[in-house]
């Protein structure tokens, strides 16, 4: 079972690595195929240019996506990849993922009547959000759009998901560090699981004259069945992914079956390489130790790392408080992170020894309790914990490091910049009770008036203007000024109304003053830089209604809440961090499983010496009691203490200025996984030891 789990884990790690290469390669290929071929300024329209093209942006569900404006200039103009026919003016073609996101907001026709879907050949990944929109009648402006001759270049265009996902250079270290290295640790431990019997068998084969090749074949023959089963299971998953797009759980990512089929040889080769690696590890780690032929007894090695008992609390204080003494993250970020990283690494490295010492202390109490109450399991487990602190340290080290690693990764991946935190604060104060509307082309009075007439009567507008000295002014009718609790007259002031304060913060020049004046939002002689929308009623504005009206009257409009560009960046960062959390949780499971196998191996070797005791007492419960204190107690304690230490170590990052947010659901899920693993290991180890005791017979050991 251990080798089967190790094979599956290592094969999945290798599969994730190669699947990432396949996905990024597919992104590059399809991104280059849909990249527009721009026509230079000196080109003659009608001879080289076939269409107009312009990129704009919008949000759905808090996440940003591209809205590509397209307009044919000639009959038979080339279509973007994945689009079957040209949409008519005021119509749109959406990707399936964007169609779903807009439908969830009841805004499917935001960009115009939807007349089709973008095929996968025109998307970098199946789950990409993208829209091709032909401007509504009267909104097209050739001067604000770019001329293109068609699609397809040597390099992918800077559009779509490319600008919102992590690069391949960031993905590879994440997979290697969080998935493949724990898989390798599990493989090594699984290869040595139950190794005592194999080592005796190997020694016997050598004594009988078997060579290195013969002994290796015996080990391979024993390992080939579980390794083959594990590799076959992963290969079956790969085959399934070749027939249909595979939805990756938790991160809302769809793996393209097309990319899997193109990279099928490399994917199956990775699975085969993982299986061969496991078999080679088993063979390499079961050699005869020629230097250990002596039958002389050896004393047990005691854990001598007593320095860790005092170093751990010191390093914990360095991480939590030392970072403050150097000035904090805002005043001196380089020294702050150096001190903080040193404290975190040192704490996680020394904490297992502290837990082992605590378990040994509990062992002394168990011995006293067992002697007083006549409990053999408490006495046996207590003496085991006292005399084997090194075993306990090795067992809990993986758990503590795994919990600390996932927590730190989650904190660092959730860390926001100063403007992002300010945007969140703005959103928490005023929400979407104020919006700004801008367009790719400066709009004049006619489209602005038409846009304003299409809005609900409770929504009022003011035009934003900036003079030569960069002074900001807002111009609107009396009703709009009253909605901001301002008089119907021109005045320059430092605003006190919350929405106006936030507007001045995000659009002002630093003095905090905004000039309010009564007048038309736009005139034929002057167009506003943007339109500021507010309501005379409390609550958020109808964002979907405003966006739909904007796309009906403006070219590539941007409808945003105040500070939303930074807020969208923060939400995209959170979405990207889900990958880190997914891989980190997988790494925790693998490290916990490795710790469990290592501990079970030690416990099962120890339980063999208890077999005569079960014969004398005719009781099998001694194994369950012993495993309770020797297996369940250290692992459960490591989970609780590791979680508490991870929370404490995270406080410098979650303080004001740190920019990080601790995810309690992720931390709770990690703790539940560890505790469930501890219970499973306790039951498995006790049941296996009890079963082995029934087969024990006296012999000349």
């Amino acid at each position: 079972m251990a080798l089967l789990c190790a094979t599956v884990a290592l094969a999945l790690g290798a599969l994730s690595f190669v699947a990432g290469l396949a996905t990024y390669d597919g992104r590059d290929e399809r991104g280059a195929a849909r990249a527009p071929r721009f026509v230079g300024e000196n080109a003659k329209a009608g001879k080289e240019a076939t269409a107009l093209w312009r990129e704009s942006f919008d949000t759905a569900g808090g996440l940003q996506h591209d809205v590509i404006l397209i307009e044919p200039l000639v009959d038979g103009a080339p279509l973007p990849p994945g689009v079957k026919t040209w949409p008519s003016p005021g119509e749109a073609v959406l990707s399936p993922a964007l169609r779903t996101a807009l439908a969830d907001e009841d805004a499917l026709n935001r960009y115009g009547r939807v007349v089709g879907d973008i095929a996968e050949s025109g998307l970098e990944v199946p789950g990409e959000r993208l829209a091709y929109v032909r401007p509504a009648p009267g909104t097209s402006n050739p001067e604000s759009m770019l001329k293109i001759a068609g699609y397809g270049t040597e390099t992918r265009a800077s559009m779509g998901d490319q600008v919102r996902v992590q690069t391949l250079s960031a993905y590879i270290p994440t997979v290697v560090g969080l998935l493949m290295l724990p898989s390798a640790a599990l493989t090594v431990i699984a290869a040595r699981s139950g190794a005592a019997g194999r080592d005796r068998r190997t020694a016997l084969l050598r004594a009988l004259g078997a060579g290195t090749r013969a002994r290796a074949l015996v080990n391979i023959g024993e390992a080939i069945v579980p390794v083959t089963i594990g590799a076959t299971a992963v290969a079956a998953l790969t085959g399934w992914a070749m027939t249909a797009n595979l939805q990756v759980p938790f991160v809302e990512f769809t793996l393209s079956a097309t990319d899997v089929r193109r990279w099928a040889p490399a994917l199956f080769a990775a699975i085969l390489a993982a299986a061969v690696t496991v078999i080679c590890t088993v063979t390499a780690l079961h050699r005869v130790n020629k230097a250990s032929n002596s039958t002389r007894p050896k004393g047990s090695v005691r854990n001598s790392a007593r320095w860790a008992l005092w170093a751990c609390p010191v390093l914990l204080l360095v991480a939590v408080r030392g970072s403050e003494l150097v000035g904090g993250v805002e005043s001196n970020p380089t020294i702050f992170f150096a001190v903080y990283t040193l404290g975190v690494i040192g704490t996680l490295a020394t904490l297992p020894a502290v837990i082992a010492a605590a378990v040994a202390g509990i062992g002394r109490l168990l011995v006293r309790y067992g002697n007083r109450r006549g409990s053999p399991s408490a006495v046996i487990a207590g003496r085991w914990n006292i005399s084997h602190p090194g075993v306990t340290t090795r067992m809990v080290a993986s758990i503590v490091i795994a919990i600390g690693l996932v927590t730190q990764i989650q904190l660092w991946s959730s860390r926001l910049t100063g403007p992002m935190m300010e945007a969140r604060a703005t959103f928490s104060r005023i929400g979407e009770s104020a919006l700004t509307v801008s367009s790719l082309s400066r709009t004049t009075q006619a489209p602005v008036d038409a846009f304003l007439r299409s809005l609900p009567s409770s929504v009022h507008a003011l035009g934003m203007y900036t003079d030569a000295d960069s002074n900001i002014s807002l111009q609107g009718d009396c009703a709009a000024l009253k909605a901001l609790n301002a008089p119907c007259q021109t005045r320059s002031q430092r605003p006190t109304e919350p929405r106006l304060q936030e507007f001045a913060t995000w659009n002002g020049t630093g003095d905090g003053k905004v000039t309010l004046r009564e007048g038309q939002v736009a005139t034929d002689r002057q167009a506003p830089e943007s339109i500021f929308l507010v309501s005379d009623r409390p609550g958020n504005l109808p964002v979907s209604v405003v966006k739909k009206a904007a796309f009906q009257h403006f070219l590539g409009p941007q409808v945003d809440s105040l500070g939303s560009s930074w807020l969208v960046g923060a939400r995209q960062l959170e979405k990207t961090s889900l990958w880190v959390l997914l891989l980190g949780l997988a790494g925790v499971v693998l490290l916990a499983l490795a710790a469990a196998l290592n501990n079970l191996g030690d416990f099962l070797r120890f339980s063999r010496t208890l077999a005569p005791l079960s014969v004398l007492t005719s009781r099998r419960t001694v194994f369950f009691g012993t495993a309770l204190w020797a297996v369940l107690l250290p692992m459960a304690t490591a989970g609780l203490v590791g979680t508490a230490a991870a929370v404490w170590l995270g406080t410098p990052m979650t303080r004001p200025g740190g920019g990080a947010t601790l995810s309690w659901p992720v931390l709770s899920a990690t703790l539940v996984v560890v505790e469930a693993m501890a219970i499973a290991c306790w039951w498995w180890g006790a049941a296996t030891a009890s079963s082995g005791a029934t087969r024990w017979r006296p012999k000349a050991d």
Side-chain angles (χ1 to χ4, degrees):
M1 180 60 72
L3 288 177
L4 190 151
C5 293
T7 303
V8 170
L10 197 61
L12 285 177
L15 198 66
S16 300
F17 183 89
V18 179
L21 298 178
T23 298
Y24 279 91
D25 180 66
R27 285 182 185 273
D28 290 339
E29 181 179 294
R30 291 183 290 273
R34 74 181 185 189
R37 296 196 305 272
F38 295 106
V39 175
E41 293 290 337
N42 298 327
K44 296 181 180 179
K47 288 190 176 181
E48 295 186 27
T50 61
L52 299 175
W53 184 97
R54 188 63 187 258
E55 181 184 20
S56 63
F57 305 96
D58 191 21
T59 59
L63 297 175
Q64 191 181 69
H65 59 266
D66 282 22
V67 178
I68 307 299
L69 306 172
I70 53 176
E71 182 79 36
L73 294 176
V74 298
D75 293 335
L79 285 164
V83 179
K84 294 181 179 179
T85 59
W86 275 98
S88 300
E91 293 181 341
V93 182
L94 309 178
S95 67
L98 181 56
R99 176 190 283 267
T100 301
L102 291 175
D104 291 341
E105 295 186 354
D106 195 21
L108 185 60
N109 294 320
R110 173 182 297 174
Y111 311 122
R113 190 168 69 92
V114 178
V115 294
D117 289 341
I118 304 174
E120 286 188 16
S121 59
L123 302 174
E124 289 195 354
V125 291
E128 183 181 26
R129 297 181 176 188
L130 183 67
Y132 286 107
V133 178
R134 189 165 178 181
T139 64
S140 181
N141 185 354
E143 295 180 358
S144 300
M145 300 181 71
L146 304 173
K147 297 176 182 179
I148 64 171
Y151 299 88
T153 61
E154 295 182 357
T155 58
R156 57 194 288 202
S158 297
M159 57 173 282
D161 272 3
Q162 179 197 7
V163 298
R164 301 179 188 92
V165 299
Q166 293 293 323
T167 61
L168 180 62
S169 60
Y171 174 79
I172 289 178
T174 304
V175 173
V176 172
L178 297 182
L179 202 57
M180 297 190 71
L181 288 182
S183 299
L186 176 60
T187 300
V188 172
I189 292 176
R192 291 298 298 170
S193 179
R198 296 191 188 97
D199 291 344
R200 289 194 296 269
R201 181 189 63 197
T202 303
L204 176 60
L205 290 173
R206 180 172 177 272
L208 293 175
T212 302
R213 181 180 178 183
R215 297 195 301 271
L217 289 175
V218 172
N219 289 327
I220 292 173
E222 182 184 33
I224 195 69
V225 174
V227 170
T228 301
I229 294 174
T232 302
V234 179
L237 177 64
T238 306
W240 179 30
M242 292 174 60
T243 60
N245 295 335
L246 184 63
Q247 184 75 28
V248 181
F250 188 63
V251 295
E252 299 180 358
F253 176 79
T254 303
L255 180 64
S256 172
T258 303
D259 294 338
V260 175
R261 287 192 294 268
R262 286 194 311 110
W263 280 68
L267 291 168
F268 285 110
I271 298 173
L272 179 61
V276 172
T277 300
V278 175
I279 292 177
C280 292
T281 303
V282 171
T283 304
L285 296 182
H286 287 91
R287 295 177 177 176
V288 176
N289 186 0
K290 298 180 180 180
S292 60
N293 294 330
S294 173
T295 59
R296 189 172 185 175
K298 297 180 180 180
S300 61
V301 179
R302 291 294 187 101
N303 184 15
S304 59
R306 298 184 180 276
W307 59 270
L309 300 181
W310 60 263
C312 182
V314 172
L315 291 167
L316 182 62
L317 289 175
V318 168
V320 177
R321 296 299 179 188
S323 53
E324 291 182 350
L325 298 178
V326 298
V329 63
E330 295 179 341
S331 61
N332 202 335
T334 302
I335 298 180
F336 169 85
F337 289 123
V339 173
Y340 180 69
T341 302
L342 175 64
V344 169
I345 294 176
T347 301
L348 295 179
T350 55
L351 186 58
V354 176
I355 297 176
V359 171
I362 296 175
R364 296 183 180 90
L365 298 178
L366 283 176
V367 172
R368 297 175 187 173
Y369 170 82
N371 288 328
R372 186 166 58 251
R373 294 298 182 92
S375 173
S377 60
V379 174
I380 295 169
R383 293 193 179 279
W384 165 264
N385 291 333
I386 295 172
S387 58
H388 295 83
V391 173
T392 305
T393 302
R394 291 194 301 272
M395 175 180 60
V396 303
S398 298
I399 297 174
V400 171
I401 292 174
I403 295 175
L405 179 64
V406 168
T407 304
Q408 286 296 310
I409 290 173
Q410 185 270 316
L411 288 171
W412 282 95
S413 61
S414 69
R415 189 168 181 267
L416 305 179
T417 62
M420 288 180 180
M421 289 187 288
E422 293 174 5
R424 280 193 166 181
T426 295
F427 188 81
S428 65
R429 287 190 291 264
I430 66 170
E432 294 177 323
S433 61
L435 300 174
T436 58
V437 181
S438 58
S439 176
L440 293 175
S441 59
R442 296 290 291 271
T443 56
T444 54
Q445 185 175 7
V448 170
D449 290 345
F451 166 68
L452 297 181
R453 285 194 299 269
S454 65
L455 296 177
S457 59
S458 61
V459 179
H460 303 281
L462 300 96
M464 173 183 165
Y465 296 88
T466 305
D467 61 18
D469 296 327
S470 299
N471 296 316
I472 303 296
S473 62
L474 291 174
Q475 179 173 300
D477 58 21
C478 186
L481 296 175
K482 287 183 177 180
L484 292 172
N485 298 325
C488 297
Q489 61 185 24
T490 300
R491 61 184 298 181
S492 178
Q493 62 178 9
R494 285 186 175 88
T496 58
E497 204 277 337
R499 292 169 296 179
L500 203 54
Q501 282 183 328
E502 299 294 345
F503 178 85
T505 299
W506 290 99
N507 298 279
T509 58
D511 60 0
K513 290 185 178 181
V514 176
T515 299
L516 299 176
R517 62 172 177 257
E518 185 178 359
Q520 291 181 315
V521 175
T523 65
D524 287 334
R525 293 181 299 175
Q526 190 175 19
E529 297 177 19
S530 63
I531 302 173
F532 184 50
L533 298 181
V534 293
S535 176
D536 54 11
R537 300 173 184 175
N540 294 331
L541 294 173
V543 180
S544 295
V545 175
V546 173
K547 286 188 175 183
K548 184 176 181 179
F551 275 95
Q552 289 176 347
H553 298 94
F554 301 140
L555 179 68
Q558 287 288 114
V559 180
D560 300 313
S561 59
L562 296 176
S564 68
S565 59
W566 291 102
L567 192 61
V568 167
R571 289 171 177 167
Q572 187 63 45
L573 183 62
E574 291 175 350
K575 182 176 175 60
T576 303
S577 67
L578 291 178
W579 277 102
V580 179
L581 299 181
L582 174 65
L583 297 175
L585 286 175
V588 167
V589 172
L590 294 176
L591 288 174
L593 184 58
L597 291 176
N598 180 70
N599 184 54
L600 284 177
D602 289 329
F603 177 75
L604 292 178
R605 285 193 296 271
F606 169 60
S607 64
R608 294 189 189 99
T609 64
L610 303 182
L613 183 62
S614 66
V615 175
L616 296 175
T617 61
S618 300
R619 295 168 59 189
R620 301 291 186 268
T621 56
V622 65
F623 295 104
F624 288 89
T626 304
L628 175 68
W629 302 111
V631 178
L632 179 59
L633 174 65
M635 291 187 70
T637 303
L640 295 173
V641 175
T643 301
V647 173
W648 199 358
L649 288 172
T651 53
M653 299 288 291
T654 56
R655 292 194 195 105
T661 302
L662 182 64
S663 175
W664 289 104
V666 172
L667 194 63
S668 301
T670 305
L671 179 60
V672 168
V673 168
V674 171
E675 300 303 323
M677 186 76 70
I679 295 174
C681 292
W682 161 65
W683 183 264
W684 184 19
T688 304
S690 177
S691 176
T694 61
R695 298 189 298 269
W696 179 83
R697 296 293 182 271
K699 57 183 179 180
D701 290 335

